[in-house]
Amino acid sequence: MQKRNLAARAGLWSASHRKKAIFGWLAFVIVAVMIGGAIGQQKLAQEDMGNGESKVADQALAAGFPQALGEQVLIQSKGSTRIGDRAFTAAVQDVERRLRAVPHVDKIQSPLADGNMGQRSRDGRSAVVTFEVADDDDDVALDRVEAALEATAAAQRAHPGLRIEQFGDASAGKALQESFDEDFQRAEYLSLPITLIILIIAFGALVAAGLPLLLGLTAVAATIGLLGPISQIVPLDETVQSVVLLVGLAVGVDYSMFYLRRYMEESDGGCGGNAALEAAAATSGRAVLISGITVIIAMAGMFLAGSAIFTSIAVGTILVVAVAIVGSLTVLPAVLSKLCSKGWIEKGRVPFVAARRHTNHGDSRVWGAILDRVLRRPVLSLVLSAGLLIALAIPALGVHTINTGIQGIPRDLPVMQTYDRIQAAFPGGPQPAVVVVQADDVTAPTVRRGIERMRQQAIRTGQLAEPVRVDVNPDKTLAAVYIAMRGSGTDDASYAALSTLRDNVIPKSIGAVDGVDVHVGGLTATSSDFNDTMKSRLPLVFGFVLGLAFLLLLMTFRSIVVPLKAIVLNLISVAAAYGVL
């Protein structure tokens, strides 16, 4: 008698212990959801998202300065009103008065003050009131900024002849968070019915179609719950829940569809319930196990990428795939056995689709026709298909990756339309380079002279320019020097300016002062360090994923040709995907 594999043994155990399998799975999902709700998810801090030197700079800034998020309110004329007119002045004063009454708002700077000419546009049509919102915690800051947004909206209602709008780190973060939440709900609303329609076409019956969807949803729910305790150890980026939903629904449906489809084909072929179940478990169940482990190995490679965001995606994906595998191998056979014993598996038949499935015994005419023609002319098929993929891969040689920063936020959000109006009224370069200087006392004469030498030498290069601003923290242990840069922030000019600052200016000025640590941050540095990290880690990631995948397939198929073919095909496919991107 042939020895049963692990998947077959799991399937037969599940069918023989239906109540334990079904109620055990439900208990697992409910407990996971309750634990996740009670603990909550620890989010990845903004300063921990970067790479290399810029990450060190961000962390030093976060630790050295009282946390606050900068905001600004735009007051802009819609007609002939100008700065200095009574209506414009009244609107600015009203905005300031309302903001002073808002808790956690500090450092309000008026454009009407003599020393704040930079807060007035050259054409005299626009001005900005700047302020800060205390940022003890990212979520708290997003809640606190709501009161400031309400004050701005009230000022807009009181002065309809002017445009009064708010933009800043907190208000943009809040808008982006709301956009994420809406997208998450939209993904649920769109993906579920579309998936159900596809499953109905595949199985021809509502019950059979609903079973994979149900397994996928419970796997997603359990995984999101489990992310709570895991995030206390490894803080996770907020986008991980969307990744879990989409990936979890895909693999949950996919894996159970393999299993269910094979079971129904065996049943159509005349096998009895237990025989069909064992055949499905031994074949499709085994395929699910191997496929899932391969996906987990591939996603584990993201741990080596050196990015905290990629680590978050890897954690969420690996966890939801593992949960989906367990569900497919344990509870799915039990539910199948129960439904089939009662004759319910094909309840809710869709007449035409169900009749076609039984006529074809699950075979696809379209794919059958394609396969016949490919096998008839294998060399021609290989040349054409490989040639197409290689042609698609060619643009990947010029792939350009950057940290988009604020430009990555969707432009249809009202807060980004405000940002565009501020940029148009106050044209300027990208976010400046931020030179973080740490010392026992950054106000000491030697440190101050080093910072001044850095400023002079930076401007002398022609790649960096005024304005240069220096902020010192209350403990006088850290200074943040903001220096304007040439270029757009993520173009060659900006990267060249960053290189000049890091390699030439700093070592010959502030970097030569004893007892001083210097790190460069800012948008350009963050983007450059991200690219450098990805380039240096890419061979390691590919080697890890391909090496382990090769070993797994080698042990599974006892063949060298099969894993080599799989790796070559995957590399070509990935290269084509990069090319399209």
Side-chain angles (χ1 to χ4, degrees):
M1 181 178 178
Q2 186 177 1
K3 184 179 178 181
R4 295 189 180 105
N5 59 42
L6 176 62
R9 293 197 301 272
L12 290 176
W13 177 90
S14 175
S16 304
H17 303 82
R18 294 175 189 167
K19 289 185 178 180
K20 288 182 180 180
I22 295 173
F23 288 108
W25 175 258
L26 292 176
F28 162 68
V29 173
I30 292 171
V31 170
V33 171
M34 291 176 63
I35 290 175
I39 295 178
Q41 186 171 314
Q42 181 71 27
K43 292 185 179 179
L44 183 65
Q46 185 71 33
E47 62 268 18
D48 295 329
M49 292 185 180
N51 305 93
E53 182 182 344
S54 58
K55 180 178 180 179
V56 176
D58 291 341
Q59 291 173 333
L61 286 172
F65 282 95
Q67 295 302 294
L69 297 179
E71 292 286 312
Q72 48 192 326
V73 177
L74 172 69
I75 299 97
Q76 189 174 68
S77 170
K78 293 181 179 179
S80 59
T81 306
R82 292 293 184 271
I83 296 173
D85 293 348
R86 181 177 300 175
F88 201 102
T89 300
V92 172
Q93 293 173 338
D94 186 30
V95 169
E96 295 173 12
R97 177 182 60 80
R98 293 177 188 273
L99 289 175
R100 288 193 187 95
V102 175
H104 309 293
V105 166
D106 193 17
K107 297 183 180 179
I108 299 173
Q109 297 289 324
S110 172
L112 303 179
D114 292 337
N116 295 335
M117 295 294 293
Q119 294 174 220
R120 312 175 203 175
S121 66
R122 292 182 179 179
D123 62 6
R125 296 183 60 249
S126 307
V128 288
V129 176
T130 64
F131 62 97
E132 291 183 352
V133 178
D135 181 27
D136 301 330
D137 177 87
D138 288 344
D139 291 334
V140 172
L142 298 189
D143 291 337
R144 287 174 176 173
V145 79
E146 180 63 33
L149 289 168
E150 291 174 358
T152 301
Q156 173 66 88
R157 291 191 295 269
H159 305 275
L162 297 168
R163 176 179 285 114
I164 302 177
E165 301 171 340
Q166 183 174 327
F167 174 85
D169 294 332
S171 52
K174 184 176 181 62
L176 192 59
Q177 179 61 58
E178 292 173 351
S179 177
F180 277 146
D181 292 341
E182 291 175 3
D183 289 345
F184 191 80
Q185 292 178 352
R186 190 179 299 113
E188 290 178 311
Y189 297 149
L190 291 178
S191 62
L192 296 183
I194 292 174
T195 303
L196 183 59
I197 291 171
I198 293 172
L199 291 171
I200 289 174
I201 294 173
F203 294 114
L206 292 176
V207 172
L211 189 55
L213 193 60
L214 183 62
L215 180 65
L217 289 174
T218 53
V220 168
T223 302
I224 291 178
L226 293 175
L227 289 178
I230 291 176
S231 69
Q232 308 306 312
I233 303 171
V234 183
L236 302 173
D237 185 62
E238 60 189 358
T239 58
V240 70
Q241 291 195 5
S242 298
V243 173
V244 166
L245 170 66
L246 299 177
V247 174
L249 191 60
V251 298
V253 167
D254 211 21
Y255 293 165
S256 55
M257 189 174 178
F258 287 163
Y259 209 115
L260 182 55
R261 186 76 176 182
R262 182 56 185 267
Y263 179 86
M264 297 179 77
E265 288 173 359
E266 292 291 335
S267 297
D268 289 345
C271 287
N274 287 336
L277 186 64
E278 182 175 359
T283 53
S284 292
R286 182 170 178 266
V288 165
L289 185 60
I290 296 170
S291 173
I293 294 174
T294 305
V295 173
I296 289 173
I297 289 173
M299 297 309 298
M302 298 183 77
F303 289 126
L304 304 176
S307 168
I309 295 177
F310 286 173
T311 296
S312 296
I313 295 174
V315 169
T317 305
I318 288 172
L319 189 59
V320 77
V321 170
V323 171
I325 292 172
V326 172
S328 298
L329 297 183
T330 58
V331 70
L332 181 61
V335 175
L336 266 179
S337 176
K338 180 68 174 178
L339 291 176
C340 292
S341 66
K342 298 291 186 179
W344 293 342
I345 190 64
E346 296 200 63
K347 287 285 187 181
R349 286 190 179 188
V350 180
F352 172 75
V353 178
R356 188 186 63 182
R357 186 184 72 79
H358 283 286
T359 301
N360 297 332
H361 291 286
D363 294 332
S364 168
R365 294 177 182 174
V366 175
W367 292 113
I370 293 174
L371 185 59
D372 287 343
R373 285 161 178 76
V374 167
L375 294 179
R376 237 179 263 143
R377 298 178 179 84
V379 176
L380 178 62
S381 301
L382 175 64
V383 171
L384 290 178
S385 57
L388 174 62
L389 290 173
I390 292 172
L392 290 174
I394 291 174
L397 297 174
V399 67
H400 182 53
T401 59
I402 62 170
N403 184 323
T404 56
I406 198 71
Q407 300 296 334
I409 301 178
R411 312 309 292 183
D412 58 350
L413 294 180
V415 71
M416 288 308 299
Q417 295 169 11
T418 300
Y419 169 81
D420 289 336
R421 293 188 185 103
I422 293 174
Q423 288 297 103
F426 301 89
Q431 296 184 22
V434 185
V435 182
V436 178
V437 181
Q438 293 175 286
D440 293 336
D441 182 3
V442 295
T443 62
T446 55
V447 179
R448 290 167 58 187
R449 286 194 295 268
I451 292 175
E452 178 59 22
R453 285 199 303 273
M454 177 180 65
R455 184 190 71 81
Q456 294 174 358
Q457 292 181 23
I459 294 172
R460 231 179 265 134
T461 65
Q463 295 175 301
L464 299 112
E466 297 280 8
V468 177
R469 187 179 95 242
V470 181
D471 292 342
V472 177
N473 74 335
D475 296 334
K476 299 181 181 180
T477 57
L478 188 146
V481 185
Y482 297 85
I483 308 176
M485 304 178 70
R486 301 301 184 193
S488 66
T490 54
D491 61 1
D492 291 340
S494 295
Y495 288 138
L498 174 68
S499 179
T500 298
L501 179 63
R502 281 178 167 174
D503 299 337
N504 298 325
V505 174
I506 290 176
K508 296 177 182 178
S509 55
I510 186 62
V513 178
D514 292 336
V516 172
D517 289 328
V518 185
H519 302 284
V520 181
L523 173 64
T524 306
T526 299
S527 182
S528 175
D529 291 344
F530 173 81
N531 282 334
D532 290 343
T533 300
M534 293 303 105
K535 289 176 183 177
S536 65
R537 297 294 186 95
L538 197 61
L540 181 62
V541 172
F542 269 74
F544 173 84
V545 173
L546 297 179
L548 284 186
F550 176 82
L551 292 177
L552 175 65
L553 295 175
L554 181 66
M555 291 186 295
T556 301
F557 295 104
R558 311 290 183 184
S559 166
I560 293 180
V561 175
V562 171
L564 285 177
K565 183 185 71 171
I567 287 174
V568 170
L569 289 177
N570 273 279
L571 284 175
I572 294 176
S573 300
V574 169
Y578 280 147
V580 173
L581 286 175

